[in-house]
Structures are given as structure tokens and as C-alpha cells.
Amino acid sequence: EAGVAQSPRYKIIEKRQSVAFWCNPISGHATLYWYQQILGQGPKLLIQFQNNGVVDDSQLPKDRFSAERLKGVDSTLKIQPAKLEDSAVYLCASSLGGAGMVTEQFFGPGTRLTVL
Amino acid sequence: SQKIEQNSEALNIQEGKTATLTCNYTNYSPAYLQWYRQDPGRGPVFLLLIRENEKEKRKERLKVTFDTTLKQSLFHITASQPADSATYLCALDSPFSGGYNKLIFGAGTRLAVHP
């Protein structure tokens, strides 16, 4: 079974520039998550999709971050404009879980973003 | 808000010994708790899930306990091997998830197993 795919693996940009990350979840997984992991910290949930609808984006800085999941499959996360504090690893995860289901999450390798 | 505490310092143990990692939480009691392993440059990998009505869960050399009175979970690796060296993350379900399996992660504990 193919895992969660993410690209690019690394990205270096200057502050105020824009950047986009792509995620392809495991086939059949209805739930997709984007996490931000700053060095030395655990993953922090930015946004959670159930199929192509958002179920939680309470910690997404909406003035600069946006995400979409077209057709309930692939997803993109965009930062515009980037700030120095956005330097982190951005992890995408997926799970089978729907409402009321408790399941494990499968993570991709992440995209390491460096903002200069 | 929920606060999760894991040992911030690395745990160094000798090969063959049992490693014990701690996860403490404050405020609400989660309905379940998960443990993940993360290697450098990789995403976390799921290891075990334990529910609030379960005291203990085992999988091969791994054992997890869940004490809702102490608000603590312990994660044990018996007969540890150098290949077990990694960061181990504790994650609790959020009560504000609307039933959609939202997790709050701790910062993780780095385990180093020496030959």
C-alpha cells in the first residue's frame, strides 16, 4: 500500500514570498490533516478535512495560510506571505476515520520549509 | 487548554534494558491516547492506541498503560535495541474535535539505546 506522498521535500524562500505544499493521502482515506512541526516540538494541527470539507481550522493563521482539498483527495497548503517564524516541517497525514471513528493517522515525510 | 508533558531531556539506556517514557496531561481526561515514533527527517509512525477504559495495551515488546487518576500514560519498550532509538510522541484526543479524531501532540521524548 502506498503511503502519504508530499512534495516538495525541502523549500527555501525569503520572507514575504509565497510557497505551496502538496499532499496525496492514502487511497480511500476520508480524513486529511496538515500539521506544523517546529524544531523540538510536537506536530500542531493546522487544518483537518473530512472528504473535501473543513472540520477544524481553528489554529490556521488565516491571514496568511490557506488550504484546499479538491475532490476530497489531494490537498495543497499555501503560505502567502511567509514570515521567518513559519520555518518548520509541514506534515500531511491521513486516516480512515470519519465522525465517531477512532483510528491511527498515517503521516507523510513532511516538507522542511526555511524562511530567510 | 490541554497541556501535555513529556520528558524534554533525552533518555539514554543500555541495550537489553527496559525503556520507560512518561506522558502527563492536565485538565480534561482524554477518551483515548496514542503513541507515535518519529525518526529524524521522517513523519511520525503510529505505534499503539489505548482507550480510557483500558489500563494496559501490549504489542510485541511495547506496553502502554493509562492511568486516568494520575493523568498519566507510561510507554515501555522491553529488551531495547539500538534500532529503537528515536523520538516518541504522546498524543491525546481533543474534546473539541466534534468526534473527528483530532489529536494534540506532546513535544516527544528522545530515546537513545546504546550497545
Side-chain angles (χ1 to χ4, degrees), chain A residues 9 37 42 48 56 100 103 105, chain B residues 36 38 41 99-102 106:
Chain A
R9 290 296 314 276
Q37 187 173 26
Q48 179 175 344
D56 191 310
T103 59
Q105 295 185 18
Chain B
Y36 287 77
Q38 187 171 26
Y100 280 105
N101 193 30
K102 172 182 176 179

Side-chain angles (χ1 to χ4, degrees), chain A residues 1 5 10-11 16 41 45 55-57 81 86-87 90 96 103:
Chain A
E1 171 181 272
Y10 305 91
K11 191 74 177 179
R16 291 189 289 274
Q41 299 181 19
L45 180 68
V55 297
D56 191 310
D57 62 358
D86 297 332
S87 294
Y90 291 84
L96 280 169
T103 59

Side-chain angles (χ1 to χ4, degrees), chain A residues 34-49:
Chain A
W34 282 103
Y35 289 89
Q36 179 192 60
Q37 187 173 26
I38 292 172
L39 188 65
Q41 299 181 19
K44 183 182 90 171
L45 180 68
L46 293 175
I47 189 167
Q48 179 175 344
F49 292 93

